[in-house]
Amino acid sequence: MKFLSIGYGNAVAADRIVMIASPDSSPVKRLITAAREHNRLIDVSSGRKTRAVIVTDSEHIILSAIQADTLAARLGAEAVEDPKD
């Protein structure tokens, strides 16, 4: 099993990650609020500003203080361009 380091000694199983997003958009903020209400929110930012939101296949939401781009690079993900562009 491969793990992704998400900062401050924490890691998540890489094959369980569905999405890594920036916390700035309204839909992601609503996702965080809903996860908090349903006890599915895990905050591993160690009191720092949330810079990435990780969604898992178990519908848990993980907040990290590491940039989303940095986490994606660690995961080995590359941006896929839209073929229409």
Side-chain angles (χ1 to χ4, degrees), residues 5-46:
S5 174
I6 57 174
Y8 306 105
N10 300 296
V12 64
D15 59 341
R16 303 290 304 264
I17 296 174
V18 175
M19 177 180 75
I20 300 173
S22 172
D24 300 329
S25 70
S26 293
V28 174
K29 289 179 182 178
R30 285 191 297 268
L31 191 65
I32 292 169
T33 302
R36 183 174 286 121
E37 291 171 357
H38 293 98
N39 295 322
R40 294 187 182 263
L41 184 69
I42 303 167
D43 187 353
V44 297
S45 62
S46 296

